[in-house]
């Protein structure tokens, strides 16, 4: 089933109440640990409960719990093995402590990136196992066994009892980001000339949703083989959202006088379609539409042509404007327009510091064109993910257009 398919009522209920569900699951996991302790009473079993809390407290998603459990288990085993080896083979107190300090310092040096938690656990496990170098390894072995049992309990409870999926959270955050961007663009286009609307709250909410998506990448890899194969694409999708948010931040800076609104309305007609495409994309990602909406064929060429016509037909008073659309050697294109002042009045206006209308309108059309390219890029990445889930051949992926 596609990650963008409508969520089941059960999955939707869990996601809407995930805080309560997460607290319940943590309590159930601890109850399992307490029950095992009551029946068998293994030594140092408190480490099992500590492990459950450390793993599950901050990671409600299934994928996150699996990742952190494995890192804690691996770090514990490596640290315990090294610590037991020291106390079992070395008699000198100072030599044991020197080797302990050397190992922890080395772990600190190499600790970085995705597996930094495993390095952290390995380091403090060595210290706990060695202790005061009294050559008693039974505590170390029991501690290792209890931590491993805690990892197993955390994984099983996360997987089989009201599983909270990172895929659902990722899709919700993606929908939230796209929906906020569509609202910003639509509100800007409906606003009067020289409006003073403040879009910062919505754009900050969109950016926060993008950052949340990035935090879920590791969990998504454990939950979905399809998304794991496209983990680079997930990062690119987040970066393209950031680019679109950056472009939208420029919208409030665009200003025009009331008498010039007709010229801008021609370009805003193109921008209103982009807002519509973004809204459709948000509905698909949210599971409200069964099929990915398609963009018009040759969207870039069509926008180039329409924007050029809008610029050429716009009333520029005494300004003569020639628009030239230059396609760069890479994927995107930019609109390069040269304007020439033909009268003394326009030169005087430029001298007084006023921005010629032709220049302002050209810059605004460039911004709308870049927004169109960014929207098309979002469609392309989401189409690739959808096609991969449907197990269609790679030949079905057509440079951003969903078949």
């Amino acid at each position: 089933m596609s990650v963008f398919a409508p969520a089941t009522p059960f999955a939707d209920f869990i996601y809407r109440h995930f805080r309560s569900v997460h607290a319940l699951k943590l309590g159930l996991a601890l109850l399992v640990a307490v029950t095992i302790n009551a029946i068998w009473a293994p030594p140092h079993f408190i480490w099992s409960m500590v492990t459950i809390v450390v793993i599950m407290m901050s990671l409600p998603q299934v994928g996150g719990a699996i990742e952190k459990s494995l890192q804690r288990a691996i770090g514990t085993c490596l640290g315990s093995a090294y610590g037991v080896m020291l106390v079992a083979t070395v008699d000198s107190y100072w030599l044991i402590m020197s080797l302990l300090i050397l190992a922890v310092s080395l772990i600190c040096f190499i600790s970085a990136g995705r597996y930094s938690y495993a390095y952290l656990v390995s380091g403090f496990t060595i210290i706990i196992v060695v202790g005061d170098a009294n050559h008693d390894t039974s505590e170390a072995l029991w501690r290792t066994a209890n931590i491993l049992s805690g990892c197993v309990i955390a994984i099983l409870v996360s997987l089989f009892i009201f599983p909270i999926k990172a895929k659902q959270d990722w899709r919700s955050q993606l929908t939230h980001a796209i929906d906020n961007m569509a609202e910003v663009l639509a509100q800007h286009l409906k606003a009067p000339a020289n409006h003073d609307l403040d879009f910062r709250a919505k754009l900050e909410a969109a950016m926060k949703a993008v950052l949340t998506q990035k935090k879920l990448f590791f969990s998504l890899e454990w939950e979905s083989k399809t998304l794991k194969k496209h983990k680079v694409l997930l990062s690119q999708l987040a970066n393209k959202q950031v680019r679109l948010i950056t472009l939208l931040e420029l919208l409030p800076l665009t200003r025009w006088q009331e008498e010039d609104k007709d010229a801008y309305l021609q370009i805003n007609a193109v921008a209103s379609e982009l807002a519509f495409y973004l809204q459709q994309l948000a509905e698909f990602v949210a599971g409200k539409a069964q099929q990915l909406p398609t963009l018009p064929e040759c969207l870039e060429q069509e926008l180039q042509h329409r924007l050029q016509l809008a610029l050429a037909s716009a009333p520029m008073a005494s300004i003569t404007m020639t628009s030239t659309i230059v396609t760069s050697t890479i994927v995107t294109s930019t609109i390069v327009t040269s304007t020439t002042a033909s009268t003394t009045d326009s030169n005087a206006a430029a001298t007084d510091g006023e921005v010629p209308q032709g220049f302002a309108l050209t810059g605004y059309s460039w911004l709308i064109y870049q927004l169109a390219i960014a929207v098309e890029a979002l469609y392309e990445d989401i189409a690739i993910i959808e096609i991969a889930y449907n197990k269609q051949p790679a030949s079905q992926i057509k440079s951003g257009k969903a078949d």
Side-chain angles (χ1 to χ4, degrees), residues 13 32 245 377:
F13 173 84
V32 172
I245 292 172

Side-chain angles (χ1 to χ4, degrees), residues 176-192 195 197-200 202-203 206 244-252 254 256 264 267-280 303 364-376 378-379:
H176 187 56
I178 297 175
D179 194 49
N180 273 281
M181 291 186 283
E183 288 185 19
V184 167
L185 182 55
Q187 289 180 13
H188 169 76
L189 298 176
K190 294 177 182 178
H195 68 80
L197 296 177
D198 189 355
F199 301 131
R200 284 178 298 179
K202 286 188 177 297
L203 292 176
L244 186 52
I245 292 172
T246 303
L247 291 171
L248 290 172
E249 287 178 338
L250 299 177
L251 283 179
T254 57
W256 57 85
Y264 284 89
I267 297 177
N268 283 348
V270 177
S272 63
E273 296 182 17
L274 298 180
F276 174 73
Y277 296 146
L278 274 176
Q279 192 59 52
Q280 279 193 320
L303 286 175
Y364 186 67
S365 67
W366 176 87
L367 176 59
I368 298 303
Y369 184 71
Q370 293 299 318
L371 283 171
I373 293 175
V375 171
E376 193 174 33
L378 283 183
Y379 265 81

Side-chain angles (χ1 to χ4, degrees), residues 47 72 79-80 83 87 100 104 121-134 136 139-140 143 147:
W47 284 106
R72 188 171 180 86
S80 179
V87 298
L100 180 149
V104 174
V121 172
S122 179
F124 70 68
T125 299
I126 294 174
I127 296 175
I128 293 175
V129 168
V130 172
D132 58 356
N134 61 6
D136 182 10
E139 181 178 349
R143 179 181 181 277
I147 288 178

Side-chain angles (χ1 to χ4, degrees), residues 2 19 28-29 37 108 150 154 176 185 199-200 202 226-227 252 301 309-310 316 322 339 348 353 359 364 395 397:
S2 171
R19 293 185 181 277
L28 289 175
N37 186 41
C108 177
H176 187 56
L185 182 55
F199 301 131
R200 284 178 298 179
K202 286 188 177 297
T226 302
L227 292 179
Q301 292 82 349
L309 291 178
M316 296 299 176
T322 303
T339 60
F359 179 80
Y364 186 67
S395 59
I397 303 173

Side-chain angles (χ1 to χ4, degrees), residues 9-156:
F10 179 69
D12 186 62
F13 173 84
I14 289 178
Y15 182 72
R16 284 189 291 108
H17 303 88
F18 82 94
R19 293 185 181 277
S20 300
V21 172
H22 182 217
L24 175 62
K25 292 175 63 174
L26 177 60
L28 289 175
L30 290 175
L31 178 61
V32 172
V34 169
T35 303
I36 293 175
N37 186 41
I39 296 175
W40 288 288
H44 310 292
F45 196 74
I46 191 66
W47 284 106
S48 178
M49 301 178 68
V50 170
T51 299
I52 291 171
V53 172
V54 169
I55 291 174
M56 297 185 64
M57 180 72 78
S58 59
L59 292 170
Q61 295 87 6
V62 172
I66 294 175
E67 165 111 5
K68 196 164 187 177
S69 295
L70 292 177
Q71 288 202 38
R72 188 171 180 86
I74 293 172
T76 299
C77 289
L78 292 177
S80 179
Y82 183 80
V84 170
M85 184 271 295
L86 286 182
V87 298
T89 60
V90 181
D91 292 330
S92 171
Y93 171 83
W94 287 109
L95 181 57
I96 289 179
M97 291 304 172
S98 298
L99 292 175
L100 180 149
I101 294 172
L102 178 63
V104 174
S105 300
L106 180 61
I107 290 172
C108 177
F109 178 75
I110 64 177
S111 174
R114 177 170 181 172
Y115 302 104
S116 58
Y117 181 68
Y119 289 117
L120 171 65
V121 172
S122 179
F124 70 68
T125 299
I126 294 174
I127 296 175
I128 293 175
V129 168
V130 172
D132 58 356
N134 61 6
H135 295 272
D136 182 10
T137 59
S138 61
E139 181 178 349
L141 295 177
W142 274 114
R143 179 181 181 277
T144 302
N146 289 326
I147 288 178
L148 293 179
S149 67
C151 291
V152 171
I153 293 172
I155 291 176
L156 292 178

